[in-house]
Amino acid sequence: MSDSPLKIGVLVSGGGTNLQKIIDEIAADALDAEIVLVASSRPDAFGLERAKKAGIPVLALGRSYYDAGTADPTIARAMQDAGAEYLVMAGYMRLIGPEVFAAYPDRVINIHPALLPSFPGAHGIQDAFDAGVKVTGVTVHFANEVYDEGPIIAQRAVSVREDDTVESLEERIHATEYEIYPWVLRRLAAGDITLGADRRVHVANGE
Ligand code: GRF
């Protein structure tokens, strides 16, 4: 167990409800972490408002950064300057580039609303629903340079019910996200998560 809070940087593109849950868990002393910076790929992301309200510094990037190829070096530099030890993607809809992985090798985490490697991509909930699967869920994994790929840290199953609509399924998936992401971050803050040479993740004190 480390003696100082884990310093994390959070990456968002949208509403930021997962970010909010992490903010709330920290405020409630249920997660020994500090969000040192929230970066957004969109200047109008509501997640930025959530961060500002919580007194967290923000970095708002726009399309011009991505078009010019300066987004990733800017993020890497800003996160390092802020002292982030890990980067936590929470609805970040851009691919992370090599400059960020160079600064944070095996230290970027993503959450995906399906049981990877099934249903990667921007519509994981809808795609699982359309495929008629009876079980889907949530995955937290180390990110790499491919969307929704990389060593899996934790997964939770969510059953698809007979009377589910995509909206009702989505609600349960999100509720599950708000449990699993803080759980993983707690394990990370406690030093319980290691990535083996075999690229498998080992979670001490896991389930
Ligand atoms: C979540 O469903 C997450 O799994 C996916 O994007 C969504 C982000 O939602 N990667 P929010 O911005 O945290 O509300």
Side-chain angles (χ1 to χ4, degrees):
M1 186 96 169
S2 61
D3 37 18
S4 58
L6 182 75
K7 291 190 162 79
I8 58 175
V10 180
L11 297 165
V12 300
S13 298
T17 60
N18 279 281
L19 165 66
Q20 187 65 57
K21 182 65 185 171
I22 297 167
I23 290 172
D24 294 346
E25 294 267 322
I26 292 171
D29 279 334
L31 172 59
D32 189 21
E34 180 190 351
I35 302 175
V36 294
L37 182 67
V38 171
S40 172
S41 63
R42 298 172 53 120
D44 59 348
F46 188 65
L48 289 175
E49 301 311 314
R50 296 178 188 274
K52 286 182 208 161
K53 199 171 166 213
I56 301 165
V58 299
L59 171 68
L61 301 174
R63 224 186 125 167
S64 58
Y65 283 84
Y66 293 89
D67 290 348
T70 53
D72 286 284
T74 303
I75 291 170
R77 168 66 65 88
M79 288 295 182
Q80 285 187 314
D81 287 350
E85 299 167 82
Y86 279 87
L87 303 190
V88 174
M89 299 165 75
Y92 184 69
M93 302 305 280
R94 293 274 186 168
L95 209 50
I96 299 268
E99 296 88 352
V100 173
F101 285 116
Y104 290 93
D106 294 328
R107 281 172 173 260
V108 183
I109 289 171
N110 184 40
I111 187 162
H112 182 73
L115 292 177
L116 294 173
S118 293
F119 310 114
H123 309 288
I125 303 172
Q126 181 81 54
D127 292 346
F129 186 79
D130 291 347
V133 297
K134 302 300 186 192
V135 177
T136 180
V138 177
T139 302
V140 177
H141 65 100
F142 284 110
N144 64 21
E145 291 182 39
V146 179
Y147 277 118
D148 303 324
E149 219 190 72
I152 291 172
I153 300 169
Q155 293 185 302
R156 293 278 187 290
V158 174
S159 294
V160 183
R161 295 177 187 157
E162 204 57 41
D163 59 352
D164 257 334
T165 59
V166 72
E167 290 79 18
S168 62
L169 176 61
E170 194 172 331
E171 213 171 286
R172 292 206 308 293
I173 294 271
H174 288 314
T176 305
E177 290 188 319
Y178 306 148
E179 287 174 16
I180 190 174
Y181 226 2
W183 182 85
V184 166
L185 294 174
R186 270 193 287 278
R187 300 269 58 81
L188 198 65
D192 285 342
I193 295 181
T194 48
L195 184 57
D198 58 359
R199 306 296 292 163
R200 280 169 184 267
V201 177
H202 305 278
V203 184
N205 305 309
E207 296 174 319

